[in-house]
Amino acid sequence: ISAGSKYGYMLLWVILFSNLMAFLIQVLSAKLGIATGKNLPEIARDRYPKWVSAGLWIQGELVIMATDLAEFIGAALGLNLLFGIPMVEAAIIAAIGSFAILELQR
């Protein structure tokens, strides 16, 4: 929150560029899938040595965890800012909501 007050709208450019990069990666991955019938991890496993593929897999798992953590903290912070719920209770509500969404997707 303090970064937003310090840097103002400059942070929006970071968000814009990160979203554009994510969009580019998704488009290129979709084209790869259409052209080859395989997804990006399958291509990496076929073309790189086993140790590189394992490193890419670990990196992917860490990125997934970091993204999920950012979404979870963002949900708790949003509940705190919007409704004045203390952070611990907001985190518990966000966790219950996350598990409810996962259960509904079964």
Side-chain angles (χ1 to χ4, degrees):
I1 296 174
S2 63
S5 64
K6 183 176 181 181
Y7 296 106
Y9 290 108
M10 293 287 291
L11 290 177
L12 289 178
W13 291 109
V14 173
I15 293 170
L16 175 69
F17 287 130
S18 66
N19 282 328
L20 288 175
M21 288 302 297
F23 179 74
L24 175 67
I25 291 170
Q26 288 179 353
V27 167
L28 292 175
S29 293
K31 286 182 178 184
L32 178 70
I34 291 169
T36 64
K38 294 182 177 182
N39 58 35
L40 188 58
E42 290 172 338
I43 295 290
R45 185 184 62 214
D46 293 343
R47 295 197 176 237
Y48 294 118
K50 191 170 187 160
W51 65 273
V52 173
S53 296
L56 290 172
W57 172 67
I58 291 169
Q59 178 191 16
E61 292 294 333
L62 291 173
V63 168
I64 290 168
M65 285 187 265
T67 303
D68 288 345
L69 182 62
E71 290 177 2
F72 175 74
I73 292 172
L77 186 60
L79 289 170
N80 176 270
L81 292 174
L82 288 173
F83 303 113
I85 300 171
M87 280 298 287
V88 173
E89 287 84 358
I92 292 170
I93 293 169
I96 291 170
S98 295
F99 283 117
I101 290 170
L102 287 173
E103 191 61 36
L104 290 173
Q105 288 180 343
R106 275 192 187 188

